[in-house]
């Protein structure tokens, strides 16, 4: 029976779901990804029969993607440890386009008073020099540079004119190029109406894209939202993923849920172990030293 079912599925993927035509050039249904069509007319004709199944399959695929363990956190290119979660504990270097942890920056500056970039050794510049370098990185389609320019445009920082609409466009471009935190900022634009018309559906959409791309703030927000509307299991899944990434607030949320009896002891213990392992991977003597340095707080 299994072989017959598998053969049927393969046949569906190799032929038009409406007319049965096979061959190259068939286009996959964008919703369910499980059937193909030879033309737009065939897809339109088949839609009434396929609509319900398509929505169910699309929803299942979306849930699968949303709760899939996100990609590993980007590493500091100097110490090769996962970058910390807090923005103040990492810095974007406009000279070379690298995100460096505060620990490595602090360690290099402690032994070299020339204030060189710890990665490419370029000398640090003032705000105008930083902006000039940043704009060059933006021209080269650097998504993190676009994200930083977007924040500067949103708030009118460092002589960059305040332009919320431009900021939203930069966040979209940055996210599309693979920098997940930019989608979170775009979601906030749709929430507040700064730079984009308020749109709750788009707010949720971009929050979810940020979450699937590995942004922990978006993950926690979705977890909190799920909990508040009674979707406890979805909330727990979000917080469990965050805990496995080493995120303290995610573990704190699970502690509260466990204390209320909504999380099993075994699952909580598993979260504790995974959190400790991931958290330890982000620690170093240099990062501890930077945390006690007021320059990096």
């Amino acid at each position: 029976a299994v072989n017959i079912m598998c053969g049927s599925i393969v046949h569906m993927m190799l032929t038009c779901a409406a007319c049965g035509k096979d061959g190259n050039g068939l286009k996959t249904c964008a919703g369910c990804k499980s059937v193909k069509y030879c033309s737009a007319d065939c897809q339109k004709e088949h839609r009434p029969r396929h609509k319900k199944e398509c929505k169910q399959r699309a929803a299942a695929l979306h849930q699968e993607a949303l709760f899939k363990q996100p990609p590993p956190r980007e590493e500091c290119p100097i110490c090769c440890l996962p970058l910390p979660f807090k923005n103040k504990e990492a810095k974007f270097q406009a000279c070379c386009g690298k995100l460096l942890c505060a620990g490595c920056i602090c360690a290099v500056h402690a032994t070299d008073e020339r204030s060189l970039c710890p990665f490419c050794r370029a000398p640090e510049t003032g705000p105008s020099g930083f902006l000039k370098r940043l704009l060059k990185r933006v021209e080269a389609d650097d998504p993190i540079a676009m994200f930083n320019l977007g924040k500067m445009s949103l708030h009118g920082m460092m002589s960059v004119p305040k332009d919320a609409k431009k900021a939203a466009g930069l966040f979209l471009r940055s996210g599309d190029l693979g920098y997940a935190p930019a989608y979170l900022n775009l979601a906030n634009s749709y929430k507040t109406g700064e730079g984009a018309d308020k749109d709750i559906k788009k707010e949720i959409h971009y929050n979810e894209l940020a979450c699937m791309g590995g942004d922990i703030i978006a993950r926690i927000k979705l977890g909190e939202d799920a909990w508040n509307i009674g979707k406890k299991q979805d909330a727990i899944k979000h917080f469990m993923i965050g805990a496995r990434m080493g995120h303290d607030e995610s573990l704190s949320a699970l502690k509260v849920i466990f204390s209320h009896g909504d999380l099993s002891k075994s699952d909580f213990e598993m979260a504790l172990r995974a959190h400790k392992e991931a958290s330890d991977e982000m620690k170093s003597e240099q990062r501890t030293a930077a945390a006690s340095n007021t320059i990096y707080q």
Side-chain angles (χ1 to χ4, degrees):
V2 173
N3 289 336
I4 294 174
M5 183 179 295
C6 290
S8 176
I9 293 174
V10 170
H11 178 72
M12 287 173 60
M13 291 300 295
L14 296 177
T15 61
C16 174
C19 69
K21 179 181 177 181
D22 57 12
N24 298 324
L26 298 178
K27 294 184 178 181
T28 305
C29 174
C32 66
K33 317 290 185 186
S34 60
V35 297
K36 293 188 175 185
Y37 299 100
C38 64
S39 67
D41 289 339
C42 274
Q43 184 172 11
K44 184 177 180 180
E45 186 276 329
H46 190 245
R47 183 63 178 167
R49 290 174 285 158
H50 178 59
K51 185 176 181 180
K52 183 177 179 180
E53 178 188 346
C54 183
K55 284 188 174 182
Q56 291 174 344
R57 176 59 180 159
L61 288 174
H62 180 72
Q63 287 292 98
E64 182 181 325
L66 190 60
F67 294 111
K68 181 180 179 181
Q69 191 68 25
R73 289 187 59 74
E74 185 177 350
E75 295 179 347
C76 170
I78 296 179
C79 64
C80 298
L81 297 177
L83 286 167
F85 292 107
K86 296 179 181 178
N87 290 332
K88 66 180 181 180
E89 295 177 354
K91 182 181 178 183
F92 176 69
Q93 303 294 110
C95 45
C96 54
K98 301 296 183 183
L99 266 176
L100 306 180
C101 73
C104 287
I105 297 173
C106 182
V108 170
H109 288 178
T111 58
D112 189 335
E113 297 180 354
R114 293 177 294 171
S115 295
L116 303 178
C117 171
F119 186 81
C120 71
R121 312 305 291 171
E124 287 194 358
T125 61
S128 61
F130 175 85
L131 181 58
K132 186 176 180 180
R133 287 174 172 175
L134 185 71
L135 291 174
K136 285 185 177 180
R137 300 297 309 174
V138 171
E139 290 176 2
D141 277 349
D142 184 322
I144 306 180
M146 288 182 184
F147 171 72
N148 279 274
L149 183 59
K151 290 197 299 182
M152 293 162 68
S153 298
L154 181 63
H155 301 293
M157 301 164 56
M158 292 177 60
S159 75
V160 175
K162 188 173 182 178
D163 188 336
K165 187 174 182 179
K166 178 182 177 181
L170 286 165
F171 293 147
L172 176 60
R173 178 64 175 155
S174 174
D176 288 348
L177 287 172
Y179 193 57
Y183 280 142
L184 177 64
N185 280 260
L186 182 58
N188 194 56
S189 295
Y190 282 111
K191 178 182 179 180
T192 63
E194 286 190 272
D197 294 335
K198 288 186 178 182
D199 190 321
I200 190 169
K201 288 184 177 180
K202 289 185 178 180
E203 177 196 347
I204 294 172
H205 172 69
Y206 286 110
N207 264 325
E208 290 180 339
L209 286 181
C211 174
M212 289 185 278
D215 186 84
I216 192 63
I217 305 303
R219 173 78 60 186
I220 296 308
K221 184 183 185 308
L222 291 177
E224 291 173 346
D225 289 346
W227 184 267
N228 290 334
I229 62 174
K231 294 185 176 181
K232 293 185 177 181
Q233 290 307 310
D234 283 358
I236 290 171
K237 289 178 184 178
H238 282 302
F239 296 140
M240 288 291 285
I241 291 173
R244 288 197 293 268
M245 294 171 66
H247 189 245
D248 294 340
E249 285 77 4
S250 296
L251 185 64
S252 296
L254 290 175
K255 287 180 180 178
V256 174
I257 293 171
F258 173 67
S259 68
H260 291 166
D262 292 307
L263 183 67
S264 70
K265 182 179 179 181
S266 61
D267 284 344
F268 183 52
E269 289 175 344
M270 180 174 62
L272 286 170
R273 289 192 295 269
H275 173 271
K276 184 180 186 307
E277 182 178 344
S279 182
D280 287 346
E281 288 181 356
M282 290 187 280
K283 294 179 180 178
S284 70
E285 292 182 4
Q286 291 88 347
R287 291 183 179 183
T288 301
S292 62
N293 190 321
T294 55
I295 296 178
Y296 302 100
Q297 292 179 357

